Amino acid sequence: TRNPLYSTLGIILLLGVQYGPLVFLLVRAGLRKLPRELIEAARAGGAGWFTVLVTIVLPLMTPSIMAAAALAFVSCVGNFGIPAFLGIPANYLVLPTLIYQKLAGGGPAVLGETAFLSVLIGIIAMAGILAQEIMSRRRDYRISSTSLSAEPYELGRWRPAVQAGMWLLIIVVLFLPLFGLVLTSLVPGYGIALTAKTATFDNYRFVLFEHDAAGRAFFN
């Protein structure tokens, strides 16, 4: 059966994994700027956590969320590696991979087409940024000043379970794919099972010492 990652959902999943940390950093920076006074005043007035989230946290986080969404959108529009590895085997094309296929399979006549496709990518990216700017202006919540940062949420007895879940996520997202790449690099060709007899370091020797283009690409 075909690898399920060779699909639209596989591309979406890996793009989310790749750009998730960037979104997290932007949203985290916004959360750290939330004024504790507003949250404590709402809690003292009898508001529950859901009410605080909807009426205070989310409105004040709108600029950070919009900026993170725009950054992820622009990055995904121009991403080539993931759609190329997962989309081309499934005949699922996006603009960057379409440009690659036209340049690889055509002559000078396709330069005009690929130039227009590149301009189209830029237009889509600018449209995403413009949409983010318009949506942010519609809900303009600004923090004029704050004396205390937001109070950290104590996990209490749930801390070990949350930590275990986070470590499991790190292992699944980071280490397992890297481990899979290392195993794949040890086989002499695609589709060959990795065994004690087929394992080889010839790929490393070729790339590091014999392939001149790889050396130039590394230093570039």
Side-chain angles (χ1 to χ4, degrees):
T1 59
R2 192 179 68 178
N3 191 325
L5 290 178
Y6 293 141
S7 62
T8 305
L9 293 179
I11 294 174
I12 294 174
L13 175 63
L14 289 192
L15 286 175
V17 170
Q18 180 172 359
Y19 296 114
L22 295 178
V23 175
F24 167 77
L25 291 176
L26 287 175
V27 174
R28 179 177 179 269
L31 287 173
R32 292 176 66 90
K33 294 180 181 179
L34 288 178
R36 184 186 300 182
E37 296 92 331
L38 292 179
I39 298 176
E40 290 181 348
R43 294 290 292 168
W49 281 112
F50 181 77
T51 302
V52 173
L53 176 66
V54 173
T55 60
I56 297 177
V57 176
L58 288 181
L60 292 178
M61 285 297 299
T62 297
S64 297
I65 295 175
M66 292 295 180
L71 176 61
F73 174 78
V74 172
S75 301
C76 289
V77 167
N79 189 287
F80 170 77
I82 292 176
F85 278 104
L86 301 182
I88 291 179
N91 198 26
Y92 181 84
L93 297 179
V94 295
L95 289 178
T97 54
L98 180 59
I99 293 174
Y100 166 76
Q101 285 194 344
K102 284 186 172 294
L103 288 176
V110 302
L111 292 179
E113 297 179 14
T114 55
F116 171 73
L117 291 174
S118 300
V119 172
L120 189 59
I121 292 176
I123 293 175
I124 294 174
M126 288 188 292
I129 296 176
L130 181 61
Q132 178 263 333
E133 182 67 20
I134 294 175
M135 294 178 66
S136 297
R137 288 183 178 180
R138 287 183 178 179
R139 299 186 63 182
D140 190 8
Y141 297 92
R142 300 183 183 181
I143 303 174
S144 58
S145 63
T146 177
S147 58
L148 297 174
S149 59
E151 184 179 4
Y153 181 78
E154 298 294 338
L155 296 176
R157 60 189 180 91
W158 294 101
R159 184 181 184 88
V162 173
Q163 283 185 330
M166 291 297 100
W167 277 111
L168 179 62
L169 178 63
I170 291 174
I171 292 173
V172 171
V173 171
L174 296 180
F175 292 106
L176 286 184
L178 180 61
F179 183 67
L181 287 176
V182 172
L183 294 181
T184 303
S185 68
L186 296 177
V187 296
Y190 178 77
I192 300 177
L194 178 63
T195 63
K197 294 182 179 180
T198 60
T200 177
F201 287 99
D202 289 343
N203 295 325
Y204 291 85
R205 176 180 53 80
F206 175 74
V207 171
L208 293 176
F209 303 108
E210 299 179 7
H211 196 219
D212 295 335
R216 292 196 303 269
F218 175 78
F219 285 107
N220 290 339

